[in-house]
Amino acid sequence: MAHHEVERFSAGARLFHWTVTITAIVLAITGLFLWVPAFGSLAEDSYSRIIHRVAAVILVAAPLLFFISRPGRALHFVKYIFTWGKDDIEWLKAAPDYYFGGDEKKMPPQGEMNTGQKLWSLVAFLSVIGFVVSGAIMWFAKASIPAELFLWVTIIHDLCFIVSASMTLVHLYLGAIHPRMTESLKSMLKGKVSVEYAKHHHGKWYAEISKGKETDNKQAPSTH
Amino acid sequence: MTNHWIDLRNSDCILIIGSNAAENHPISFKWVTAAMTRANNPAKLISVDPRFTRTSSKADIYAPIRSGTDIAFIGGMIRYILNDMQSLSRTERAEKYNLTYLTQYTNAALIIHSEFEGWKDPTHPGLFVGFTENTNPAPGNLGGYSKSKWGYADAGSPDTDAALLGNNWTNWSDLNPKCVLRLLWENYEDFTPEMVEKVTGCPQSTFEQVCEAYAATGAPGKAGTIMYAMGTTQHTYGTQNIRGYAILQLLLGNIGVAGGGINALRGTSNVQGSTDMCLLSHILPGYLSVVNHKLQTLEQYVDTVGRKGKAPVVPKGLAGDKSASWWWLSESAQNYKKYLVSLLKAWWMDNATEENDFCFNYLPKINAGQDADYTHIGTFEAVAKGIVKGMMVWGQNPAVGGPDAEGERKALEKLDWLMVTDLFETETAAFWYRDGADPGSIGTEVFLLPAACSYEKQGSISNSGRWAQWRYKALDPIGEAKSDLAIVDALVLKLKEKYAGETGPKADPINQLYWDYHTEGEYADEADPNKVALEIHGYYTKDVGDKKKGDLVTNFVSLATDGSTCSGNWLYSGMFTTDGRNKAKDRDPVDASLNQIGLYSGWSWCWPINRRIIYNRASVDLDGSPWDDIHPVIAYQEGSHNPATNTCKWLGDIADGGWSPIAVSKNDGKPAYLPFIMQNEGVAHIWGPGRAEGPLPVAYEPWESPLETNLVTGVPAQLDESPKGMPGFNDPCCYVGDLGGMNQRGRPNWEDPTNGFNCVGTTYRVSEHWQAGQMTRNHPWLIELQPQPIAEMGEELADDVGVKNGDIVKVVTARGSIEAVAVVTKRFRRMTIGDKQVDHVGVPWHWGYKGLSKGISPNGSSGNVLTPHVGDANTTIPEYKTFLCRVEKA
Amino acid sequence: MELSRRDFLKFSGVATAGGLAAAKMLEAQPVSAESLDLELSKPIGEVPTICCYCGVGCGAIAAADADKVINIEGDPDHPINQGSLCSKGQALAQMRTVNGKDNPNRLTKPLYRAPYSTEWEVIEDWDTALDMIADRIKKTRDETWLDKIDVGGTSYTVNRTDGIAEFGGGELDNEECYLLAKMARALGLVYLEHCARI
Amino acid sequence: MAKAILFDSTKCTACRGCQVACKQWNNLEAEETVNTGTYENPPDLSSRTWLKMRFIEPPDGDGKVWLFSRRACMHCTEAGCVKVCPTGAVYHHEEGFVAYNKDICSGCGYCVDACPFDVPRMVGSTLTGKKKMEKCVFCADRVANEEKPACVKTCPTGALIYGERTEMVDLAEQRVSKLAADGVDAQLYGKDELDGLHVLYVLAHSPKDYKLPVNPEVSPSVTLWQDILKVMGYAAVGAVAGGLLLNYMVARARMVKEKEGK
């Protein structure tokens, strides 16, 4: 297989992915300190708050940098994750059978992102916006907004966390643990997947890239 | 205080007038509250004040009065009670009022000189008989009295009115026209509720509530107490204000009993003790009269102030037939002489001998008469005139606390030298670089010495209830600071060095001064307060009987006229046991008094001889049984009468004299002692001829009054004709000062308020600061609470001058002006006085130009920049509490 | 491994419950660091003193190091105040110690201001300071001394000086007041006053 | 047993011994203040002012009412701060009052917003971003050593007393009925508010006149977060994790079968 590989993620995309990943983990952990009283002592002396804020700045900065450096790609991604079609519905219907039983019969061929990945990207995208907006209010506007409103803003932050944390588990599982997703993690580490894997999991995309010779430009963004 | 703090809880009605106890004596309210919340017959609280204060907020009745109208108010209360007494049937009268007390224990029934004429006499309106106006320009008293017609008809053995004694009268005309009670009625007859409202601004209905509530304490067994402070005393007639309270309390039988008394709330932790030690121009330690030039020998002194001045007088017809007049007691006792000789021995010890009159001539002698005033006001005038050239100031701050403060600051510039000892740099020490002063033209040398604070040293202090309590040292003084004791000790030793070798009247009193206070150990190099305390208590200076030289005396009863004892202050003789236990250090927390009325006699020690409630012989009836069974101060133990000594066992407090009760002595054919043992007559003074301006208080106007005519006496102000003041409109004997022309008198101008002084200004304190502020204005926690000087005023006035709450305003008087933050409040209301609408403006006087918290204007916003250099007729205490001012937006 | 819908539901139920059980563990409150056997954060004090402000004479107890006050509060045994104090009494500690350090405004050395000078100078030792003061007192006293006065043609011995005044004492201890009175009268002072009059 | 402080406004003279006692015992520095036309100062609670007295002159009064009220932590049973505190730094002391462990305070400041009485304050360095919550600690160390809280001990008039909460409620009720008998519109505040405050008030007027919230309640958002959202979160994560585990087992079994089947 090593001889037949296609590039799936560029170095920049991977850097972006892992930056965000690490940041998100840091944010999640430092945020968790405020969820889990048993971890409360770890939040001592506000260190976790400071780290959380530094990470938050990176989380905001990373997509912005990505957008500035590769605006076309970024726009494409946004457009992509908001574009849903019939295939996506089909995919969602077929997915349980596939992921439990490996039954591929009903799976429609997928583009550079399959529906699941698209869904994850969408959740991630929206929850980051939710995190950033609510977080910014909590950070900068605490003194100027009514106490009651502040508490509701924290709830938005928390809701974002519940949703994104749950989805992160799924993402992590499918990307790294699910028995059938053998090359997913590798692709994000090394950037390449085997032709076989590409055909199998992203038929439409493979067809596109092998037909049009468009290589890097149309790589899938940083998600699985 | 005649009584003490805890005793407030025994009261049935507490009248707080001229005091804001909740703010300035906050812990007193522990006991006020205890009285008000006790389960049975809770006490009522009355607050009389121009301003609704934190005290008023807790009162059952709040009575607003115009500042300086206490006599009109109290006179109205006296009238109410007298009128009530007269209109009741004899039986009801005896139930509602303690007639035995009134007639047997006071001079109510005594007959006054037949030529006495009251202030209503048309030939001298507003004045008693015998007045002469002082025509000299200020400074000086407005006038003075010949008191020859104020005394008893028979000075040595006054007559009494039998009808009054026997409760056998219905109308005033049934009493002798010169009987004290009838004269009292005539003095206050016009002080009707209508008149009270017109003069004081207190609504009639409120006033009548006050009268009713307070008069109820007249019943035997009931007690009402008066708590007063500087709101009473700081007037040109401050002493007469207090006289008014005394009369009221005596009419109601409230002196000497638990829960009663007239209680002066001392503003300083040891102002009681410093007064007992007589750091005052007119007295020597133990309230012994200062010597004047007419008293050239000890014998002349003793004869004049003791033998003649304190000779026992026995009224005729009373149940008691013996007056102790303790100051003299008898030719064999000569207490006055004992006390003075023991003082002289303590001061000049072995150098004071019978042959040299016990160094009597070492005592400085003032000029007799009224040609010099040695009090605070007079002293500063002497400083301003260059008579006084050097000044030592120990923990006082007259540049903030003195009247016409800017004038007094300016006077300090005349000094050659000034020594100030304090904890912090005070305005007084810093006068030479205050705003407006030019150090380059001020030649005064100034020494500023660092003193130890209260817990950096040890010694005793006496609280308002006369409890001398020892306080201990918690740590060494800061830096190189020393206790005042160490400083005065070192200074006197230095002076002795300087005078060493000299002789003569100048050097002898110093060289021969007994000064030996160092002890082993901690006090090897400075005075040991324990040793000083022993000298104050007193000891034998030679072997007498079984007593050896150096043995401690038992108490002042042991003191002798022959120089065999010394005692620095007879009142404090008794603070030690003969084996040397300092009772000021006693800390027995158990209250062993009768019925636990809260005397706590085992906690510290109080003068005289640990008597916690003075005049307590008035708390029992003729048989020695307490009027009040629930709160007995003392009680005669049945059968304990000792015929040989005519004494008995008294239970409870230390009885005021150990003699048996009047009826018990009488039954035994022995002299029956009258209860008020310090008075020559043995009875208390409703009639008080000793005061400068009259035997009974008359409602005079303050020196600066918003009125044109005294509404009570009818005497017009005549401002232009009488720039010094008008006798009969003003207090006829008040002291009008003059600090180099700065003491201008402000006048109202009702036609053009912007050009006159139509507001009544007053000064006071806030709870969070203390006196002239030198200590509390350096305490961040307290400055946080009260950061800036304020000027409190009513909404009506604020509206008129366009001032809003929190604005900076300027308060202006004829002396000067200060800036302060306006506190606009409903707690000051506009009053209708006669035909005038009168507003008050109140300023705390704590601030100055030094310390962490300074005033707003460069003069430190000291309230006393506004006050006049005018003083009380008897004491020359300055009139801080009433003056005219106007408010401007700054 | 086959999975029925029922099994699935069962399993998810168990899983959710597992999540909640973990939550319960994690939500447990940390053990109180401030339980009932807590030590006092500072000593309350044992040195009895009497408040230096008004005339009520409240008792206070002080705890101090060699050079700073640690705590001053009401003396609970004192029958008058029974442990209570007002704002001023409660601030007594700041007479000496503010925020753990000496109150910076307290005077610590004798100061002298020379005639026409614009500043204070420190006098290094007490002996010098008192020597200077004693010189001033003696000079003024000697210059203004009155052995006798003449009133209406008669001479009276008065042995006094009108040239020196002494103020103060209401804040001092009885023993201090007594010695001040003794010194003042021995010096022949007649202008002797304190705050009782004002 | 739960303890409580009883504040009887009818006995309070606003001497403010309590306000300074609090600073004295707890080593709190003074604030720099200005006078704004009232005796009341500092203007508000802060990290250095855990207790302050309010001076209230009713605007429509006749000048014969001056109300004094205590402003400090109310030590609620249903305490918004305890509920909202993410780290457990704010907790109920075994004697019922709300204590906090500064060491584990993360400085999030949620308690400030969750308090219906606006009591907790944050203090921190702008440079490091470190923050801590500050408020009345009920003098936990004193209480543990059988000393009264500093404010209570110093109160001259008995306006503040301290003891078993049940006893304090009894005393307060007796006082209220006594005052009512004297014609005062007295009431007890704090008995049932927020399941019972550990600072009880005897008031002579309505709570509103003393600037106390009439029906204090913890914001529903606090309940939503702590009692619903957090539980939901754990449940969701649990469910997802469980689902994934199940999936793994099933999928793996299937793949093994597939391999065997080949």
Side-chain angles (χ1 to χ4, degrees), chain B residues 625-665:
Chain B
S625 306
W627 302 115
D628 181 354
D629 305 333
I630 302 164
H631 306 110
V633 183
I634 56 169
Y636 169 65
Q637 188 175 46
E638 283 302 326
S640 67
H641 172 64
N642 178 344
T645 56
N646 192 22
T647 56
C648 70
K649 176 153 177 56
W650 287 98
L651 305 172
D653 198 8
I654 309 289
D656 224 347
W659 304 290
S660 300
I662 289 174
V664 174
S665 293

Side-chain angles (χ1 to χ4, degrees), chain B residues 32 79 113 211 397 432 455 561 569 654 748 811 889:
Chain B
V32 173
R79 182 194 178 278
H113 198 290
C211 291
N397 193 8
W432 50 273
Y455 49 79
T561 56
N569 187 335
I654 309 289
V811 183
K889 209 171 162 182

